[in-house]
């Protein structure tokens, strides 16, 4: 960088840049390139709490006010500085949620489905009812199922020694762990399908509406945790 600057000064002394005006427009006799301002690399983290701590600690820096928190998605947050004189911003921090693996849109055996429901979904009545239903289905049950295109009926264990025809709900409301742990996991609608094997699959059926609620939950979390900075005009939160 210093060598390039020195070379530029030597060339400027030997062949100074001329500004030529023509038809009200100004032209330079030499192509000029702006020397970029040294910018910090964004600090990467995994949680919303760490973003809150960083913003609280460094919001006093005069070149960073106001800070901007951008809720990019249910799993990604970026924090920027205000506009600089060159109309650019410093990208200061980034947070990306660490989430469990959830298999959606693919058929898996019932044991895997039960494990996934128990370990990666928020406990709810709907989740527990689905686990109970799947736990009563045996291999030969699905072969006798009926399917009208909307719901399915399978023969499932209804008691200690009895079986009964059970209608499988076509749409179930479940709350997988799909956003940061600090906020409420939004419910989504899922289409449940069963096949011989037996195997089962969950397909998203809400058109991604859950992502809107997830971003809203994250924004509300920051508004609560960083209320003083927002009120003081030192912080902006956007989706």
């Amino acid at each position: 960088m210093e060598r390039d600057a020195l070379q530029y000064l030597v060339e400027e002394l030997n062949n100074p840049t001329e500004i030529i005006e023509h038809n009200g427009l100004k032209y330079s006799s030499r192509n000029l390139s702006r020397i970029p301002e040294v910018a910090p690399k964004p600090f990467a983290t995994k949680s919303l709490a760490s973003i809150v701590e960083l913003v609280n600690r460094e919001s006093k820096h005069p070149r960073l006010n106001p800070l901007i928190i951008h809720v990019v998605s249910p799993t990604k947050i970026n924090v920027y500085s205000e506009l600089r004189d060159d109309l650019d911003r410093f990208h200061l921090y980034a947070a990306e949620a660490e989430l469990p693996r959830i298999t959606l849109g693919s058929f898996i055996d019932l044991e895997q489905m039960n494990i996934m429901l128990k370990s990666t979904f928020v406990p709810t009545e709907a989740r527990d009812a689905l686990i109970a239903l799947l736990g009563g289905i045996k291999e030969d049950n699905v072969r006798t199922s009926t399917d009208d295109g909307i719901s399915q009926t399978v023969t499932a264990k209804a008691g200690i020694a009895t079986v009964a025809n059970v209608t499988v709900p076509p749409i179930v409301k479940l709350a997988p762990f799909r956003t940061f742990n600090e906020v409420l996991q939004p419910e989504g609608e899922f289409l449940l399908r069963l096949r011989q094997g037996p195997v089962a699959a969950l397909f998203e059926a809400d058109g991604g509406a859950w992502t809107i609620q997830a971003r809203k939950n994250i924004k509300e979390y920051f508004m609560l945790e960083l209320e003083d900075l927002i009120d003081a005009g030192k912080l902006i939160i956007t989706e």
Side-chain angles (χ1 to χ4, degrees), residues 52 55-56 69 222-230 235:
V52 169
V55 168
N56 272 324
I69 294 179
F222 283 132
M223 292 180 69
L224 179 63
E225 295 293 324
L226 298 167
E227 183 179 3
D228 291 344
L229 292 178
I230 295 172
L235 179 65

Side-chain angles (χ1 to χ4, degrees), residues 80-144:
Y80 299 95
S81 69
E82 68 170 343
L83 277 176
R84 307 194 305 256
D85 292 338
D86 60 0
L87 301 183
D88 202 354
R89 303 180 189 274
F90 289 130
H91 183 189
L92 302 172
Y93 327 122
E96 190 163 350
E98 285 188 319
L99 301 175
R101 182 178 178 181
I102 301 175
T103 303
L104 299 175
S106 298
F107 284 89
I108 58 178
D109 65 54
L110 298 189
E111 182 179 3
Q112 287 179 296
M113 178 64 74
N114 269 327
I115 292 173
M116 184 179 75
L117 288 170
K118 291 177 181 178
S119 61
T120 64
F121 285 66
V122 176
T124 61
E125 290 185 7
R127 187 208 68 163
D128 294 344
L130 182 56
I131 291 173
L133 171 64
L134 296 179
I137 297 175
K138 296 183 179 180
E139 182 174 354
D140 59 348
N141 297 149
V142 176
R143 294 174 185 169
T144 61

Side-chain angles (χ1 to χ4, degrees), residues 165-190:
N165 289 332
V166 178
T167 299
V168 179
I171 299 294
V172 290
K173 286 189 175 182
L174 301 169
F177 289 101
R178 295 188 287 184
T179 187
F180 291 91
N181 289 333
E182 291 96 333
V183 300
L184 185 68
Q185 302 296 316
E187 282 191 338
E189 292 187 342
F190 294 87

